[in-house]
Amino acid sequence: MKETLLRKIADRSIVAGVIGLGYVGLPLAVEKAKAGFRTIGFDVQPHKVDAVNAGHNYIGDVVGSDLQALVSGGRLSATNDFSFISEVDFVAICVPTPLDAHQQPDISYVENSARAVSRYLHKGIIVVLESTTYPGTTSELLKPILEESGLKCGEDFYLGFSPERVDPGNALFKTKNTPKVVGGIGDDATEVIAAMYEAVLDGEVFRASSPEVAEMTKILENTYRNINIGLVNELAMLCHKMKLPLWEVIDAASTKPFGFHPFYPGPGLGGHCIPLDPYYLSWKAREWGFHTSMIEASMMVNDRMPEWCADRAAAILSRRGKALLGAKIIVLGVAYKNNVDDYRESPALKVIDSLSSRGASVSYYDPYIPSYKYKGIEHHGLEALKDEDLSGCDLVLIAAAHSKIDYERVVRLAPAIFDTRNATRSITDKSKIELL
């Protein structure tokens, strides 16, 4: 089986499948198709299937013309009919792994995908999980489900884990050139899965000794960031009390050419990975009777930031003789990071919710996100950032530093600015600006 699959990878006769056509799955499907593999995308959401089949792009990291060319050329198609799994030789599962209402891992999307694959599993297929999850998911959850088909892992099909490393909006590293980590169940599986990714991507492929190592790798990457952001957010609170400019402190520390990597404070954590992954590890650690005290401490700090930013906004207004109740506040940017149209887990939404619940009149402007849904309610932003909006408000709170916004104009017109992202760094007159 190994030699047959390696030969099919080399001559591009493998048919590739991708389950989940979101921020991870669609770019991966496009790269597989561009590498010469006929690719089928699977998704339960009809609008995504229809968009792909029409050649309409909805993901920022995908080039629309590439998608159109691949679809029109017959290299890429999409469907919600999972019976087409029977036609693919390599399938990557790229579905969400959110938290439930109790902050516990919700792996129902992964489980449902595995069951859909199992119904149409055939000999010689390769299955790879890319969704971020706790160590043990591939071996303990996917393998038994797939073997319900009657086929045996390692003999009839290969199974492994390769963590997605998508960073939406990153101008330098995309799916194509980001290094990959691969861990299969058995050496043969690892070799074949690595060969497939090497045929598709330009980045180095690191072969891990097991799926568990690969799963823990992704958790480590984002927990590392969570903890360091938690540290700098806590220092932001301390430096505010000490009346020290934290952003200058970070700039000064960054001059050290070794032993220091800068992290920056903000109104909280957002996105599909960093706020969630540590919870997966903490949950799994309890199975081993281990308490992840440092991880949980950083999560507590980061979870507290939106409310603390709302408190800071109230204090800024108070010093100007304004009450938060009835104050007109404009929030600039509701995306979870700069220059993207993604508001998943965005702390800006929590800041807005906190300010609104205290009686402030809050509007927002985001050139990438005209509307968003939070707690089941649809919110619509300002269509344009008009002069009268800025001059007529009591406070502008910058929650995402989008480069499409003219911050010099904002500072010139608005009476006060609370900048949680240091978007106003280049502005000389700081008299109206208070930094996080």
Side-chain angles (χ1 to χ4, degrees):
M1 181 169 65
K2 181 181 78 170
E3 296 306 322
T4 298
L5 286 169
L6 289 174
R7 185 172 61 254
K8 291 178 74 174
I9 291 170
D11 65 19
R12 298 300 194 269
S13 61
I14 270 186
V15 178
V18 176
I19 299 177
L21 296 174
Y23 287 89
V24 177
L26 185 58
L28 181 62
V30 166
E31 292 302 337
K32 287 180 177 179
K34 286 171 68 176
F37 297 97
R38 185 166 78 84
T39 304
I40 303 173
F42 298 85
D43 205 290
V44 297
Q45 300 183 62
H47 70 276
K48 289 185 178 179
V49 171
D50 293 343
V52 170
N53 287 332
H56 294 158
N57 179 40
Y58 51 87
I59 298 294
D61 285 350
V62 171
V63 178
S65 58
D66 287 349
L67 178 65
Q68 288 179 337
L70 293 168
V71 171
S72 62
R75 281 289 177 193
L76 177 61
S77 61
T79 182
N80 55 14
D81 183 354
F82 282 78
S83 69
F84 284 97
I85 293 292
S86 60
E87 296 188 7
V88 306
D89 307 290
F90 182 103
V91 59
I93 300 174
C94 307
V95 295
T97 47
L99 299 174
D100 64 19
H102 305 288
Q103 300 291 76
Q104 303 291 320
D106 177 4
I107 54 171
S108 61
Y109 297 95
V110 171
E111 183 175 353
N112 291 339
S113 297
R115 295 197 182 283
V117 171
S118 182
R119 285 194 289 273
Y120 303 103
L121 205 68
H122 57 84
K123 287 189 176 183
I125 194 172
I126 311 159
V127 181
V128 179
L129 177 62
E130 289 215 4
S131 305
T132 303
T133 184
Y134 57 83
T137 303
T138 304
S139 298
E140 298 167 10
L141 178 70
L142 263 68
K143 181 174 176 285
I145 291 174
L146 296 177
E147 288 186 333
E148 289 175 3
S149 65
L151 301 180
K152 188 171 178 59
C153 181
E155 295 181 10
D156 300 313
F157 67 92
Y158 289 138
L159 175 62
F161 182 82
S162 182
E164 60 88 0
R165 283 171 159 174
V166 172
D167 183 19
N170 192 315
L172 180 59
F173 288 105
K174 306 289 185 182
T175 298
K176 179 72 171 176
N177 65 339
T178 299
K180 262 287 192 183
V181 174
V182 166
I185 297 180
D187 292 342
D188 287 352
T190 300
E191 183 180 348
V192 171
I193 295 168
M196 181 64 180
Y197 282 114
E198 286 170 340
V200 172
L201 308 177
D202 291 338
E204 174 192 0
V205 177
F206 179 91
R207 291 158 171 78
S209 59
S210 69
E212 289 78 11
V213 169
E215 288 161 339
M216 182 64 93
T217 296
K218 179 59 184 294
I219 296 290
L220 171 60
E221 291 169 6
N222 285 329
T223 300
Y224 162 80
R225 295 174 70 187
N226 188 302
I227 288 175
N228 280 281
I229 293 169
L231 169 64
V232 78
N233 277 335
E234 190 165 64
L235 286 177
M237 298 179 190
L238 175 61
C239 284
H240 177 64
K241 284 185 174 293
M242 298 175 69
K243 299 188 183 336
L244 286 173
L246 175 62
W247 297 90
E248 184 182 347
V249 171
I250 295 170
D251 286 345
S254 297
T255 62
K256 186 177 182 180
F258 55 89
F260 181 82
H261 180 83
F263 286 82
Y264 299 96
L269 288 179
H272 62 297
C273 285
I274 302 177
L276 309 182
D277 294 1
Y279 285 98
Y280 275 73
L281 187 56
S282 295
W283 177 84
K284 186 64 175 179
R286 290 197 289 274
E287 181 181 317
W288 301 88
F290 190 87
H291 184 62
T292 53
S293 55
M294 183 179 293
I295 296 171
E296 291 172 29
S298 69
M299 292 190 293
M300 289 172 61
V301 172
N302 291 326
D303 288 347
R304 179 184 166 194
M305 287 305 292
E307 195 70 25
W308 188 72
C309 285
D311 291 341
R312 286 280 304 275
I316 293 170
L317 288 167
S318 179
R319 286 197 299 273
R320 295 179 55 83
K322 299 279 187 179
L324 182 58
L325 180 65
K328 293 181 180 179
I329 300 175
I330 297 177
V331 172
L332 296 185
V334 294
Y336 83 86
K337 63 182 290 189
N338 307 338
N339 301 322
V340 300
D341 62 355
D342 190 350
Y343 64 85
R344 287 175 295 173
E345 306 296 327
S346 174
L349 311 188
K350 298 175 184 177
V351 173
I352 292 172
D353 188 58
S354 179
L355 292 170
S356 298
S357 67
R358 302 190 207 183
S361 175
V362 185
S363 56
Y364 85 90
Y365 173 73
D366 191 309
Y368 297 93
I369 303 173
S371 66
Y372 69 86
K373 184 174 287 187
Y374 184 68
K375 294 182 177 180
I377 300 173
E378 191 85 14
H379 299 262
H380 296 274
L382 300 169
E383 292 184 5
L385 195 59
K386 299 177 181 177
D387 288 358
E388 54 266 33
D389 294 326
L390 292 169
S391 60
C393 74
D394 298 304
L395 177 68
V396 168
L397 190 155
I398 301 172
H402 294 320
S403 58
K404 288 185 177 181
I405 296 175
D406 182 351
Y407 294 105
E408 289 190 3
R409 172 173 169 262
V410 171
V411 172
R412 184 176 71 253
L413 295 173
I417 296 92
F418 178 30
D419 184 357
T420 71
R421 298 291 191 178
N422 204 13
T424 57
R425 170 190 288 268
S426 63
I427 295 174
T428 304
D429 184 1
K430 308 285 189 184
S431 59
K432 295 181 181 180
I433 303 167
E434 184 163 326
L435 294 175
L436 184 67

